[in-house]
Amino acid sequence: MDNRKIAEFLKGTIDPNQRVAAEEQLKQVEKIIGVAPSLLQIVMSSDVEMPVRQAGAIYLKNMIHNSWTEAGEEEEPRFHIHEQDRGILRDQLVDAVVHAPPPLRSQLCVCIGVISKVDFPGRWSSLVDKICVYLQSPEVAGWHGALSSLLALVKCFEYTKGDERAPMDEAMNLLLPMVQSIMVNTLLNDYSIPALAMQRLILKTFFALTQHHLPLNLVTQERFSQWMEIVRVVLDRKNPEYDKKVEDEDEREELEQSEWWKTKKWAIRILLRMFERYGSPGSVTKEYKTFATWYLNAFSHGALQVIFTIMDSYRKGDFVANKVLRDGILYLKNGVSHAYAWKFVKPHCNIILADIIFPLMCHSESDDKLWKDDPIEYVRVKYGWLNL
């Protein structure tokens, strides 16, 4: 079908006066072979207006979500995307993510995630090869899209273990060292916003890979130590543009949303997760008992020194993002229950309690104003973040 006609229908979905009719027309034509790849072509066409491209990305995402697989034996017959179109989309989606502008990339990554759950690795073994090609390329511009595609794949297996996640572990045996090398050799000392965004993607990928199940055959002690060093560097580094005293509330919000602090947020989230789930002897499953003892002895002192530095910055009045402060405190909470870690925490205990914990617990003037103006918002702000 003519791409221009489909683009007209998509443009109509943005206009409130034409939306219903345009959506009905799209519903009619989506069953035609070739329409799904045409949608992707429209999304990637620089000649099409951005709102139309965004509408196309959303429509393609919903189409893939609802119609990628055939109906089961006990389901009523329904439309599904033809295998010819599915093959084209599998071949082109990673390239599309790499070259798509940010407003479109997130929608296309959802498409990769949906398809991966069904077709990886059987019908989509080339997914890993595509990601590999871009990560091995010296063209840094392609890395963000490749890392976004990798994160979409890893998140499909985030809560699996055993044989169910074997395909991902096999893929990550190739990709994880590649990503770690990019992080250490190219990105870690680059504080530009694009580089920080890629660092955040890498940390999110490692977190998704390990947060529910730590594959010890994949993340060996040597490899784990390398990643903990990355986490330490990210949390320890300073930048006067972001690590400073802040009075203005708008500036605080801006810093909270900055890539600099988002990257630190994921780094400390990894640190906390590794300790609470795999590094606490006595509270881990049998397969992690040896690892937990090794973690406690090898990383307790270094990790706590990083946390103490963050706490000291906050105590001196420098800006620290709320979620970074929260996870730092939670790490200390877990640490005091272990005699080995407690000996490092004990000398700092009085200062942390007096200068950080107690002031955080006190009811301030701004708290009182918020409580009187909006009690529901007060509860959300004061207690809701603990569950994030």
Side-chain angles (χ1 to χ4, degrees):
M1 189 172 181
D2 185 10
N3 285 5
R4 288 176 296 180
K5 197 67 179 174
I6 298 175
E8 287 178 16
F9 295 156
L10 291 169
K11 189 172 184 178
T13 62
I14 305 170
D15 186 342
N17 298 321
Q18 302 179 42
R19 183 177 60 81
V20 175
E23 287 177 351
E24 185 59 35
Q25 288 170 319
L26 283 170
K27 199 72 178 174
Q28 295 292 329
V29 303
E30 72 174 17
K31 299 179 176 64
I32 300 173
I33 295 176
V35 167
S38 293
L39 282 168
L40 185 59
Q41 290 173 14
I42 292 167
V43 170
M44 298 310 298
S45 174
S46 57
D47 296 329
V48 178
E49 298 172 348
M50 182 55 73
V52 176
R53 295 170 70 183
Q54 289 178 300
I58 293 170
Y59 195 91
L60 178 63
K61 177 196 70 176
N62 292 337
M63 187 177 174
I64 288 174
H65 185 271
N66 296 326
S67 308
W68 188 258
T69 58
E70 301 177 25
E73 293 181 1
E74 298 181 0
E75 295 180 281
E76 294 184 10
R78 56 175 170 77
F79 162 71
H80 65 273
I81 300 171
H82 193 275
E83 178 55 33
Q84 176 183 314
D85 290 355
R86 286 185 283 184
I88 294 171
L89 290 174
R90 285 191 293 261
D91 287 341
Q92 296 180 356
L93 263 174
V94 174
D95 298 323
V97 171
V98 167
H99 295 103
L104 305 175
R105 189 177 291 139
S106 60
Q107 304 294 340
L108 296 176
C109 283
V110 174
C111 296
I112 288 179
V114 171
I115 297 171
S116 296
K117 287 181 180 178
V118 180
D119 289 355
F120 181 83
R123 295 179 179 175
W124 205 7
S125 57
S126 62
L127 173 60
V128 173
D129 297 331
K130 282 266 190 181
I131 294 172
C132 249
V133 167
Y134 282 109
L135 292 180
Q136 289 176 326
S137 170
E139 295 294 327
V140 178
W143 290 356
H144 194 291
L147 292 169
S148 298
S149 301
L150 177 58
L151 177 59
L153 171 63
V154 171
K155 287 187 75 66
C156 292
F157 296 86
E158 187 170 7
Y159 298 103
T160 61
K161 57 182 176 179
D163 293 341
E164 196 176 348
R165 67 179 281 152
M168 185 190 68
D169 287 349
E170 184 179 345
M172 292 306 291
N173 198 42
L174 171 68
L175 292 168
L176 193 62
M178 199 178 298
V179 169
Q180 187 253 344
S181 177
I182 288 173
M183 185 72 158
V184 172
N185 297 326
T186 306
L187 297 178
L188 207 51
N189 295 317
D190 187 345
Y191 296 171
S192 66
I193 291 177
L196 290 170
M198 287 190 281
Q199 292 174 42
R200 175 170 56 86
L201 284 173
I202 289 172
L203 292 170
K204 287 180 72 172
T205 300
F206 186 79
F207 181 81
L209 177 69
T210 58
Q211 74 120 341
H212 183 70
H213 174 72
L214 182 64
L216 297 176
N217 59 329
L218 172 64
V219 186
T220 60
Q221 287 189 3
E222 179 184 1
R223 198 172 276 177
F224 184 86
S225 298
Q226 292 168 346
W227 280 96
M228 288 300 98
E229 177 60 15
I230 289 172
V231 167
R232 184 197 66 76
V233 171
V234 170
L235 290 173
D236 260 351
R237 63 190 181 185
K238 297 288 185 180
N239 187 334
E241 186 178 347
Y242 301 101
D243 299 279
K244 58 184 179 180
K245 292 177 171 58
V246 179
E247 300 294 338
D248 183 66
E249 197 60 37
D250 290 339
E251 188 177 4
R252 290 187 66 86
E253 184 60 31
E254 186 179 328
L255 288 174
E256 285 279 357
Q257 299 303 318
S258 67
E259 286 292 347
W260 176 263
W261 282 103
K262 284 182 179 179
T263 305
K264 285 181 178 280
K265 178 191 77 173
W266 283 102
I268 200 166
R269 184 171 289 186
I270 290 170
L271 195 63
L272 173 62
R273 189 61 171 171
M274 294 306 102
F275 186 29
E276 68 179 3
R277 189 166 180 85
Y278 311 113
S280 299
S283 62
V284 297
T285 57
K286 185 178 180 181
E287 64 180 312
Y288 297 122
K289 284 190 178 297
T290 302
F291 178 88
T293 302
W294 172 73
Y295 178 93
L296 196 65
N297 293 326
F299 297 102
S300 284
H301 184 253
L304 286 167
Q305 289 303 317
V306 170
I307 302 297
F308 294 148
T309 301
I310 293 170
M311 295 296 152
D312 193 53
S313 295
Y314 179 81
R315 185 176 67 87
K316 291 177 179 177
D318 291 341
F319 176 83
V320 175
N322 285 336
K323 291 180 180 179
V324 173
L325 181 64
R326 173 201 67 186
D327 286 350
I329 293 172
L330 289 175
Y331 196 99
L332 293 175
K333 178 185 77 74
N334 290 326
V336 297
S337 62
H338 297 283
Y340 185 79
W342 167 244
K343 69 181 181 180
F344 301 118
V345 177
K346 187 177 180 180
H348 303 267
C349 201
N350 287 339
I351 293 175
I352 291 172
L353 287 172
D355 296 348
I356 299 171
I357 304 297
F358 182 72
L360 284 171
M361 295 179 67
C362 287
H363 191 74
S364 65
E365 290 183 11
S366 60
D367 291 335
D368 191 58
K369 183 178 185 303
L370 183 59
W371 171 251
K372 291 174 180 176
D373 293 345
D374 191 344
I376 294 175
E377 179 66 8
Y378 172 86
V379 172
R380 188 193 71 80
V381 169
K382 297 296 286 186
Y383 303 104
W385 67 284
L386 292 170
N387 299 317
L388 291 176

